[in-house]
Amino acid sequence: MSISTDTDHRPGGGAPPAGGGDPLRVLVAHNRYQVRGGEDAAVARDLAAMERAGCAVEAVFLDNEAIDSAPARLRAALAATHAPDGIARVMAAARRFRPDVVHVHNFFPLLSPGIHAAARAAGHATVQTLHNYRLVCANAFLMRDGAPCERCVTGSPYQAVRFACYRGSRIGSLAVARMIDHHRRAGTWRRDVDRFVALTPFARERFAAAGVPAEKIRIRPNGLPDPGPPPDGPRRGLLFVGRLSPEKGVLVLADAAASAGMRVTAIGEGPLAGALAGHPGLDLVGARSPAEVQAAMGRAAALVVPSLWYEGLPMVVAEAYAAGTPVVASRIGALADLVADGATGLLAAPGDAGDLARALARIAADPGAAAMGRAARMVYEREWREDVTTRALLDIYRDAVAARSADASLARTGS
């Protein structure tokens, strides 16, 4: 199967990164998704931010455009354990660019975790961002039958075959489980990766439970450029922004809003759009541009994130906080880390329409919601603003380079 690769050279400029010395040279490798999503956007933001910070950056993108049928998806999954073509493309760029760090984002299915061994063998430090749970789970979401599932966190990844977790295919699930099992047994994560980037404390805990070395995992959320001070004036209405799909909890949201006698504006598209059309709890407005979403965030009394699964790092929360908008979210996974109940928003039991309805009614009527919004903006400035997250990423790179240098010294001395 052919692999489409786009190499983007960014020479870097301006002052060297904070800390002095020569600018870091970073090679970013990312397997882009057929439908561009949050991970792709996060990689693009990081590339731009690193360039602004003075790094020399090059990106190698592998595209899934050729994977356009069930047989093609199966062939890609079967090749994902080693993916020699993808690794060769990245290493060709590394030989020319000579990076200090090879930073891998999504490796599935055209790249493979084996890129880390190849990069380290060539003397480069390696970093892996854990955007999703593919290291552990065949479907990458730790979710099955509409609810969280952790069978493969500490158990065999081949349980995915029983439940056809990868795209409903047992053969495909076997191929992905084989990739997970191979690299777990081969020690790829312990031996070949210098540092991992988890997006939230919750994610760090789950990966550590799955055997990823906890001492190598650093927490660093995706950054978001500052949209400017939150707008003044009164806030009205509740807002949902996201895919209209079961795991996002939109069915629960619709019922909760209706029972509370409220309507929630829903921005987004997805498979449940038809079923939700005309529902008394939702006003479906379809997809909107980023500028329109930002404006809607600035007008809303609160953003609602009623997810039923372990979200990685939903950037809609960061966008709401940047706009000074509190968040009503499910008390599940990373969301329980991101939303401080009663301080930056409210938490409700996942899948419980009654509990969510009470939270919606409370925040709509609470005069303290404005204070929650101000607190949310402070969290954004402290944790998610681009300059903050870029400094954290550069620190992780330097940490990885130091670890790689120490390992190389030990290898030379035979200690």
Side-chain angles (χ1 to χ4, degrees):
M1 180 182 61
S2 63
I3 298 176
S4 173
T5 305
D6 172 25
T7 302
D8 180 14
H9 179 60
R10 298 166 179 258
D22 294 331
L24 282 166
R25 300 180 65 81
V26 183
L27 179 66
V28 171
H30 177 56
N31 192 153
R32 290 191 288 208
Y33 293 83
Q34 286 181 331
V35 178
R36 299 291 186 257
E39 291 184 32
D40 301 299
V43 173
R45 284 193 297 266
D46 276 356
L47 287 169
M50 285 190 289
E51 187 175 13
R52 285 191 286 269
C55 293
V57 185
E58 183 159 309
V60 179
F61 294 116
L62 289 81
D63 285 304
N64 287 350
E65 292 177 359
I67 307 175
D68 55 2
S69 66
R73 286 192 291 270
L74 179 57
R75 288 194 298 271
L78 290 169
T81 298
H82 301 291
D85 291 345
I87 291 175
R89 304 259 181 145
V90 175
M91 293 312 299
R95 286 190 294 273
R96 173 175 47 78
F97 183 62
R98 302 187 307 279
D100 300 304
V101 179
V102 174
H103 184 173
V104 181
H105 289 269
N106 179 41
F107 55 74
F108 183 81
L110 301 180
L111 187 52
S112 149
I115 182 58
H116 291 287
R120 280 178 60 79
H124 312 301
T126 72
V127 172
Q128 172 72 57
T129 290
L130 304 167
H131 290 284
N132 57 49
Y133 294 97
R134 186 76 70 186
L135 271 67
V136 181
C137 171
N139 67 24
F141 301 126
L142 290 183
M143 184 177 187
R144 180 173 58 83
D145 294 337
C149 173
E150 297 194 13
R151 284 176 176 264
C152 294
V153 171
T154 56
S156 168
Y158 290 105
Q159 294 176 94
V161 181
R162 173 186 174 190
F163 299 106
C165 292
Y166 179 71
R167 295 182 175 273
S169 166
R170 284 190 170 84
I171 296 176
S173 298
L174 175 62
V176 183
R178 178 173 172 268
M179 177 195 72
I180 295 170
D181 185 54
H182 171 84
H183 290 286
R184 181 182 290 179
R185 291 177 181 272
T188 296
W189 310 123
R190 183 167 297 279
R191 181 189 62 243
D192 296 331
V193 183
D194 293 298
R195 291 295 179 265
F196 296 87
V197 181
L199 304 182
T200 65
F202 176 83
R204 183 183 187 274
E205 292 173 2
R206 301 332 300 137
F207 282 109
V212 175
E215 68 276 10
K216 291 188 175 186
I217 305 175
R218 302 291 181 266
I219 299 171
R220 180 259 180 185
N222 296 324
L224 184 70
D226 193 343
D232 295 324
R235 301 292 189 100
R236 295 186 181 87
L238 301 174
L239 180 67
F240 170 89
V241 179
R243 181 171 166 78
L244 302 178
S245 54
E247 74 277 4
K248 292 294 186 178
V250 288
L251 293 173
V252 178
L253 172 60
D255 290 343
S259 68
M262 308 172 72
R263 295 185 70 84
V264 176
T265 299
I267 296 177
E269 298 175 327
L272 293 180
L276 291 169
H279 194 288
L282 295 181
D283 288 321
L284 304 184
V285 298
R288 289 292 186 267
S289 70
E292 290 172 313
V293 171
Q294 181 180 326
M297 291 273 193
R299 295 190 299 265
L303 176 77
V304 190
V305 186
S307 297
L308 305 179
W309 73 293
Y310 295 157
E311 294 272 6
L313 181 66
M315 290 306 289
V316 291
V317 175
E319 292 166 3
Y321 281 13
T325 303
V327 175
V328 178
S330 297
R331 187 183 287 103
I332 186 172
L335 290 172
D337 292 331
L338 300 177
V339 178
D341 194 25
T344 62
L346 299 175
L347 294 172
D352 187 333
D355 198 33
L356 181 57
R358 287 186 287 273
L360 298 181
R362 175 183 166 189
I363 204 159
D366 190 347
M372 291 184 190
R374 290 191 293 272
R377 172 67 189 189
M378 292 176 64
V379 171
Y380 162 75
E381 293 178 350
R382 184 177 67 244
E383 299 181 9
W384 271 323
R385 204 174 60 198
E386 183 184 278
D387 60 325
V388 175
T389 59
T390 301
R391 283 196 299 270
L393 182 59
L394 298 184
D395 286 344
I396 291 169
Y397 287 158
R398 295 189 188 98
D399 196 19
V401 169
R404 174 65 182 132
S405 178
D407 286 351
S409 296
L410 288 174
R412 284 194 298 270
T413 61
S415 302

